[in-house]
Amino acid sequence: MRLVRLLTGEACPRRNADAALDRDAGAASSSPVVAAFKVFQQELDTKHDKHERLVKISRDVTIESKRTIFLLHRVTSVPNAEDILKEAEVKLDAVRQKIGQIAEELRGEDLFQFHRAFTPGIQEYVEAVSFLHYIRHRGLISLEEINARLVFSTAEKVDPEGTAEEPQTAGPALTFQVTPSDYLLGVADLTGELMRMCISSVGNGDIDTPFQLSQFLRQIHDGFSYIGNTGPYEVSKKLHTLRQSLGKVEDACYALRVRGSEIPKHMLADVFSSRTALPDPEEGVV
């Protein structure tokens, strides 16, 4: 009996403690502070989920934009470049649909709150679309022209079964605005592709394109020089790469002007490739 009483006496405090915990939990669940923190938890979870979706879409935009750039480099080695350009336009239309998904995710949100999630894809898109524009028009596409193509109609919806619903009265069009910072960073990356285009053109016997590219890159460099340290930090970092690309193209033009008649055309690309592989004495200096 003593053993029973001892066990019963030990069990009573445990039951009392459990009952106290249940009362505290019940009081906490009805507390306005706990209710407020549950709302904060839901908001943070929603934000994190949206951030992850934007990162995934940005990766798709980056991959498809890179594929478009690789495709555009073939224009220097094919007899009919128009087919390549049309195929590139189709690819960029698909990329714009992905950017439309980004715009849909950002509907009613602060763009800069999620900017880091999608800026790599937007920069790659700017690089691809500006590369295509240069090949067609031998000029630089403006920020306004890029943004004008990022207007998406919401007049017609498609249900999950794949059948289109009746057209409804459309509200304001869904738009996505590339920031000036992303535009500048995309143009800075464009200079590297133009440098590669210069070497490819020389390898195919085209000695006029390098001089056009040299003049165009000089104009871009001058424009970035005017920005100086007043622009975003990332732009000042890419200015060094821009200078390297310009220097390599100018070296190619110099060799063409001075020694072009001495070097066979089929060897020019090898000569310039070896020159671009040499270390830059100013590398690492921003």
Side-chain angles (χ1 to χ4, degrees):
M1 294 297 293
R2 175 181 290 183
L3 180 60
V4 174
R5 286 195 299 269
L6 289 174
L7 293 176
T8 306
E10 290 179 357
C12 288
R14 290 181 182 176
R15 287 197 298 269
N16 294 335
D18 293 341
L21 289 175
D22 292 339
R23 287 194 301 270
D24 293 342
S29 61
S30 60
S31 171
V33 176
V34 174
F37 271 94
K38 286 184 178 180
V39 174
F40 300 154
Q41 179 186 4
Q42 293 176 355
E43 292 179 354
L44 287 175
D45 289 343
T46 302
K47 177 183 177 182
H48 292 159
D49 292 342
K50 186 183 293 290
H51 183 275
E52 290 301 317
R53 290 195 299 269
L54 288 171
V55 169
K56 292 178 181 178
I57 299 173
S58 177
R59 288 172 183 167
D60 294 339
V61 171
T62 300
I63 292 172
E64 293 302 323
S65 298
K66 285 183 180 293
R67 289 174 178 171
T68 304
I69 293 172
F70 296 153
L71 174 66
L72 289 171
H73 276 295
R74 293 172 51 194
V75 298
T76 59
S77 58
V78 295
N80 186 12
E82 188 61 30
D83 294 338
I84 298 293
L85 298 179
K86 289 181 179 179
E87 184 178 352
E89 289 177 347
V90 173
K91 287 182 174 293
L92 287 178
D93 285 339
V95 174
R96 279 190 279 271
Q97 296 304 314
K98 291 288 185 181
I99 297 178
Q101 297 179 19
I102 296 178
E104 183 65 34
E105 291 286 350
L106 294 176
R107 185 194 295 269
E109 300 282 356
D110 181 8
L111 181 146
F112 292 99
Q113 189 176 13
F114 299 93
H115 184 249
R116 286 185 177 273
F118 59 83
T119 180
I122 299 302
Q123 293 176 30
E124 202 69 33
Y125 168 74
V126 171
E127 181 181 355
V129 74
S130 57
F131 192 24
L132 173 61
H133 186 272
Y134 176 80
I135 295 173
R136 277 197 177 278
H137 306 287
R138 288 298 189 265
L140 180 64
I141 190 171
S142 66
L143 177 60
E144 290 74 17
E145 291 177 281
I146 293 177
N147 285 333
R149 301 178 184 179
L150 298 178
V151 179
F152 309 98
S153 174
T154 57
E156 185 173 334
K157 296 182 180 179
V158 179
D159 62 16
E161 301 297 330
T163 58
E165 296 179 355
E166 293 295 329
Q168 301 176 355
T169 303
L174 186 63
T175 61
F176 181 88
Q177 296 294 305
V178 176
T179 63
S181 175
D182 287 342
Y183 172 73
L184 291 174
L185 293 172
V187 172
D189 291 335
L190 169 68
T191 58
E193 305 304 331
L194 295 179
M195 182 270 294
R196 297 179 183 91
M197 182 180 178
C198 170
I199 305 303
S200 300
S201 300
V202 172
N204 292 307
D206 182 4
I207 60 175
D208 295 327
T209 298
F211 293 97
Q212 297 175 359
L213 288 171
S214 175
Q215 183 179 3
F216 180 67
L217 288 175
R218 173 57 63 181
Q219 293 174 349
I220 293 181
H221 177 268
D222 292 343
F224 274 84
S225 299
Y226 287 128
I227 298 175
N229 295 328
T230 61
Y233 174 68
E234 294 83 358
V235 174
S236 61
K237 288 200 304 182
K238 292 196 174 185
L239 184 58
H240 174 63
T241 305
L242 192 158
R243 289 170 178 163
Q244 283 185 319
S245 299
L246 175 61
K248 292 172 183 178
V249 173
E250 288 181 338
D251 285 346
C253 293
Y254 174 80
L256 282 174
R257 184 70 70 186
V258 176
R259 300 183 57 203
S261 58
E262 302 175 3
I263 306 174
K265 288 186 177 180
H266 67 279
M267 296 179 61
L268 284 173
D270 296 334
V271 173
F272 296 145
S273 297
S274 62
R275 289 176 64 86
T276 56
L278 294 176
D280 190 344
E282 298 182 356
E283 187 171 0
V285 179
V286 180

